[in-house]
Amino acid sequence: MGIDVRNEIRDFLSSRRARLTPDEVGMPSFGGGVRRVPGLRRHEVAMLAGVSVDYYTRLERGSLKGVSDSVLEGLAGALQLDEDERVHLFDLARLANAGVKVMHRNVPTRVRPGVQRLLDAITGAPAWVRNERGDVVATNELGRALYAPMFAGPGRPVNTARFTFLDPAARDFFPDWAATAREAVAVLRAAAVANPCEPGLVTLVGELSTRSEEFRSWWAAHDVRMHRRGGKRIAHPIVGELQLDFEALELVADPGLTMFTYSAEPGSESERSLALLGTWAATERSERLAAVRAGDAEQAD
């Protein structure tokens, strides 16, 4: 099962139009009173985009095939799309022109040894690598310790969206759960168009839609987001609350993989807690190694 391209285009454009008012785009609102339908009208978007009403109506009904980049840029400006939404619009246009099967690509599920060595060399900050559907495919020791509740869950592969929506521990782990969850949906929505019909992503979206009412509701909003940088507040079961900044670094040699690194404000309580988490992780590793050696010794006897 894949996405319905025409429906995706229709719902995305109409939802972006519905969130704007004439005042926000500097357009006089004639007639006064409350509008029966929220947002801009089609003829207002057409005027702002520099196209005819009939042409815009055709676009909003799901037909982006053959549309020029200049028209797409006009639409992005008229609908006040941010950079992530603009990329999404162009992805929709490519999808309409090329077709789902042409755009499909495999999602990587592991990292090269060199990437893992790089992760392991980052000792003072949590770091991990995720593919576009949110599977965590590699991590360093501190990254695994930071997201210990996610790795403790039963689901495999470990997936950020599945943990957020389906593991009860996530609502305690993320104090700003609703914002975190909505962002996870927006990331998946963008990925679903950038790489349509990817089996793992289709399965994940189906599972989350079936099991989470919040996911279904936010999926229908057609918000899109690409992780680049931001803040994350975490209530860690070992060291307490952490306020961290993250940076997302796309692995150019490995399309579809992104490395995330986390840091705390210098001198902050979060920085001290992160250092404490590192000590805890090292202790846990030492205890595991000791247990393995003890088991080997018993077998040798």
Side-chain angles (χ1 to χ4, degrees):
M1 173 179 114
I3 65 172
D4 186 310
V5 181
R6 293 185 70 91
N7 285 346
E8 284 289 317
I9 295 168
R10 182 196 66 207
D11 293 344
F12 179 67
L13 291 178
S14 61
S15 66
R16 301 310 91 173
R17 175 167 63 88
R19 71 181 180 178
L20 295 174
T21 66
D23 286 344
E24 289 175 318
V25 299
M27 179 175 285
S29 180
F30 300 106
V34 178
R35 294 185 169 206
R36 290 185 296 107
V37 179
L40 295 178
R41 293 170 178 148
R42 284 177 176 171
H43 74 269
E44 292 168 332
V45 176
M47 184 184 303
L48 291 167
V51 298
S52 70
V53 177
D54 287 343
Y55 188 60
Y56 176 72
T57 299
R58 180 168 69 84
L59 299 181
E60 195 177 286
R61 285 176 177 165
S63 179
L64 288 182
K65 191 169 185 179
V67 176
S68 68
D69 286 356
S70 62
V71 169
L72 293 175
E73 291 288 2
L75 274 180
L79 295 170
Q80 297 189 359
L81 303 186
D82 63 23
E83 181 57 28
D84 291 344
E85 292 168 331
R86 179 188 168 279
V87 169
H88 187 66
L89 176 63
F90 276 76
D91 281 342
L92 286 169
R94 279 194 291 272
L95 188 56
N97 282 283
V100 171
K101 292 183 179 179
V102 174
M103 287 183 66
H104 169 69
R105 63 180 181 277
N106 293 327
V107 170
T109 56
R110 58 177 58 88
V111 298
R112 292 178 290 109
V115 175
Q116 184 62 60
R117 288 195 297 271
L118 175 60
L119 283 171
D120 293 337
I122 303 173
T123 56
W128 47 282
V129 174
R130 190 199 72 185
N131 62 26
E132 57 196 7
R133 65 175 176 245
D135 296 340
V136 179
V137 299
T139 181
N140 68 358
E141 183 174 82
L142 195 50
R144 191 178 185 90
L146 178 64
Y147 277 88
M150 183 169 68
F151 286 95
R156 292 295 181 273
V158 174
N159 181 276
T160 55
R162 185 181 290 112
F163 169 71
T164 301
F165 281 96
L166 303 184
D167 193 326
R171 295 179 187 255
D172 294 326
F173 187 70
F174 296 121
D176 308 312
W177 181 84
T180 298
R182 292 195 72 143
E183 186 174 77
V185 176
V187 169
L188 284 180
R189 170 63 79 177
V193 168
N195 190 13
C197 286
E198 196 286 306
L201 181 56
V202 171
T203 299
L204 176 63
V205 171
E207 179 187 6
L208 296 177
S209 298
T210 300
R211 300 178 60 186
S212 171
E213 184 177 346
E214 290 106 329
F215 182 87
R216 286 196 303 274
S217 174
W218 292 330
W219 184 259
H222 284 264
D223 293 331
V224 292
R225 188 68 54 224
M226 289 121 188
H227 265 139
R228 292 188 180 91
R229 62 183 177 85
K232 187 73 71 176
R233 192 161 67 103
I234 289 171
H236 198 278
I238 302 298
V239 299
E241 186 164 307
L242 295 160
Q243 183 68 53
L244 304 174
D245 296 318
F246 71 83
E247 298 288 337
L249 312 169
E250 292 186 8
L251 301 184
V252 178
D254 302 286
L257 292 181
T258 304
M259 180 182 294
F260 290 82
T261 59
Y262 293 77
S263 64
E265 187 72 24
S268 66
E269 187 63 34
S270 290
E271 184 183 50
R272 290 186 285 274
S273 295
L274 202 56
L276 179 61
L277 182 62
T279 300
W280 174 81
T283 301
E284 288 285 297
R285 172 168 45 84
S286 296
E287 290 177 352
R288 286 196 302 272
L289 287 173
V292 169
R293 288 170 183 154
D296 291 343
E298 287 179 5
Q299 290 181 358
D301 293 340

